[in-house]
Amino acid sequence: MTEIDPVDLTADLVRCPSVTPADEGALEVLHGLLEATGFDCVWADRGGIRNLLARWGKKGHARTFGFNGHTDVVPVGDVASWSVPPFGAEIRDGVMYGRGTTDMKSGVAAFVAAAIDFVRTSPPDGAILLAITGDEEGDAVDGTRALLDHMAKAGERMSVCLVGEPTCPDRMGDMIKIGRRGSMNIQISLTGKQGHAAYPHRALNPLPAMMRLMDRLASHELDQGTEHFDPSSLAIVTVDTGNPATNVIPAECSAGVNIRFNDAHDSKSLTAWIKQEVAKIETEFGVKSRLQVKVSGESFLTPPGPLSALVSQAVIAETGVTPVLSTSGGTSDARFVKDHCPVVEFGLVGRSMHQVDENVEIAHIRQLKAIYTRIMRDYFG
């Protein structure tokens, strides 16, 4: 019985130019392979997004190991800056190049190959569920969320889940993600009264009010960190008036703020704080305000326990490296899975993700498949 080569599968996926939200055949590649090797496959498409759910074993089994990942990728940027075709999957000196090689087509290829070979050689007493989306790099509204909604309606459930995102900062095996910070974006507009710059007393300038507000927000200490999280952060990402004139006081000024927050907060408490500070500015300066709040995800933690220990032991066995349990980095689809079942993340070294000439070491892809295989073997064994 020929084993599935995760390197060849990675190359097949990279050659599909699946810039989010387009699929361009990437999930079809996986669907055909999984269905041909005994997995029950269903499409959970929504909003024009392709989503694939593949199960081996009995639906609703009390021991169902889940994998989650995505096949969509970020745009390539300036193609002329690439030294290789972005979707060519070229291999040079033991390294494969192409958009998605790291984030995260190699991770998907590794867990698909591991799952297929595992059930063919060591059929477990349980089930394996693969939830793969084409909408993670974009708005992520109709991706993993749609898969989880479909599962709820169909009576599918994962007991635990491993998300195959690249998690290692420097070397293979050095980090497992057991949680993520929350993320939210706040757009603030302050409105005063337009006027001539030579007669400021006849106008109401919203700029001093905005500067005062931004200073208060940026200088406020949200917290000093918690047991498993670094301190929360607030970044001012834009301040703009759209005013091309030098002799006109503008009527409106807008600003954007991004907050990355730990488990000392939630989006509701932070929104209430922002509104309170804006209300103070309205009173002090006489301006009017508008707020728009978009929450990308709440902070969450899967406390160190059986699942993180299971993954850690497999990583140590296959790499000789003891991984750090971390909550660093941005958001991932684990923020949706955490409401379904315990979830951790482990994958490749992510140094080149989203960069020009994104690449992955061939040896790391095969090593990742071995780690995922060991995790399943230990979980069911």
Side-chain angles (χ1 to χ4, degrees):
M1 186 180 297
T2 304
E3 291 189 352
I4 303 298
D5 186 348
V7 177
D8 290 343
L9 183 52
T10 298
D12 289 342
L13 294 175
V14 170
R15 293 186 183 110
C16 300
S18 52
V19 176
T20 194
D23 176 62
E24 300 297 336
L27 285 170
E28 292 284 358
V29 169
L30 298 175
H31 180 276
L33 178 62
L34 287 161
E35 195 167 57
T37 51
F39 280 73
D40 293 323
C41 297
V42 297
W43 294 109
D45 299 351
R46 190 170 77 185
I49 301 296
R50 299 241 77 179
N51 297 300
L52 176 63
L53 190 67
R55 174 177 41 79
W56 184 93
K58 184 180 177 181
K59 181 192 292 189
H61 198 287
R63 299 179 72 203
T64 300
F65 194 94
F67 284 99
N68 172 251
H70 65 90
T71 53
D72 61 320
V73 299
V74 297
V76 300
D78 181 11
V79 177
S81 298
W82 287 69
S83 65
V84 293
F87 299 106
E90 287 192 14
I91 297 176
R92 299 179 180 179
D93 299 322
V95 176
M96 183 187 296
Y97 291 84
R99 177 60 83 225
T101 48
T102 296
D103 187 16
M104 59 166 288
K105 290 182 174 180
S106 51
V108 171
F111 71 61
V112 167
I116 290 172
D117 288 343
F118 179 66
V119 300
R120 290 197 300 190
T121 59
S122 307
D125 179 16
I128 294 174
L129 203 59
L130 311 181
I132 310 169
T133 180
D135 179 33
E136 193 272 348
E137 297 291 4
D139 291 336
V141 172
D142 295 312
T144 293
R145 285 177 173 178
L147 281 160
L148 293 169
D149 289 345
H150 174 89
M151 289 165 61
K153 294 177 182 177
E156 298 273 18
R157 188 160 191 88
M158 298 180 287
S159 306
V160 296
C161 182
L162 194 157
V163 178
E165 288 279 4
T167 59
C168 301
D170 297 308
R171 58 177 178 159
M172 192 65 180
D174 63 3
M175 185 173 288
I176 295 169
K177 297 292 177 70
I178 60 170
R180 293 278 187 163
R181 295 179 298 174
S183 177
M184 59 190 297
N185 293 291
I186 303 98
Q187 297 294 322
I188 305 168
S189 295
L190 299 181
T191 303
K193 181 181 178 182
Q194 183 175 315
H196 198 295
Y199 305 97
H201 58 286
R202 295 177 181 172
L204 178 57
N205 194 339
L207 281 165
M210 185 64 81
M211 296 304 102
R212 185 70 58 84
L213 175 62
M214 291 298 103
D215 177 62
R216 289 178 181 175
L217 296 182
S219 59
H220 178 75
E221 182 182 79
L222 289 167
D223 56 73
Q224 295 184 336
T226 62
E227 181 180 2
H228 296 287
F229 286 86
D230 291 334
S232 301
S233 63
L234 181 149
I236 301 168
V237 295
T238 183
V239 178
D240 185 48
T241 64
N243 180 18
T246 59
N247 61 349
V248 175
I249 293 172
E252 186 173 81
C253 180
S254 63
V257 171
N258 176 264
I259 304 177
R260 301 297 173 115
F261 57 95
N262 60 34
D263 55 353
H265 312 274
D266 59 28
S267 61
K268 290 183 179 179
S269 65
L270 290 168
T271 299
W273 166 62
I274 294 284
K275 287 181 176 180
Q276 184 180 51
E277 293 299 323
V278 171
K280 291 178 184 177
I281 290 296
E282 281 188 318
T283 300
E284 293 173 24
F285 288 85
V287 294
K288 300 293 184 181
S289 69
R290 295 195 314 276
L291 266 74
Q292 288 183 322
V293 178
K294 182 177 180 180
V295 180
S296 299
E298 301 287 346
S299 65
F300 74 93
L301 176 73
T302 301
L307 180 56
S308 55
L310 173 75
V311 178
S312 294
Q313 290 162 8
V315 171
I316 293 169
E318 294 294 337
T319 68
V321 176
T322 300
V324 172
L325 303 183
S326 173
T327 59
S328 61
T331 59
S332 75
D333 277 0
R335 70 189 189 272
F336 307 130
V337 180
K338 55 94 175 173
D339 294 324
H340 177 89
C341 68
V343 58
V344 299
E345 302 172 60
F346 179 76
L348 296 167
V349 176
R351 283 196 300 266
S352 71
M353 59 182 176
H354 294 200
Q355 295 183 5
V356 168
D357 285 350
E358 181 179 348
N359 62 84
V360 62
E361 291 187 29
I362 295 300
H364 285 177
I365 302 176
R366 295 199 168 103
Q367 195 172 34
L368 187 61
K369 178 188 175 184
I371 292 169
Y372 289 159
T373 300
R374 184 179 288 270
I375 289 170
M376 288 185 288
R377 188 180 71 220
D378 292 349
Y379 177 77
F380 290 107

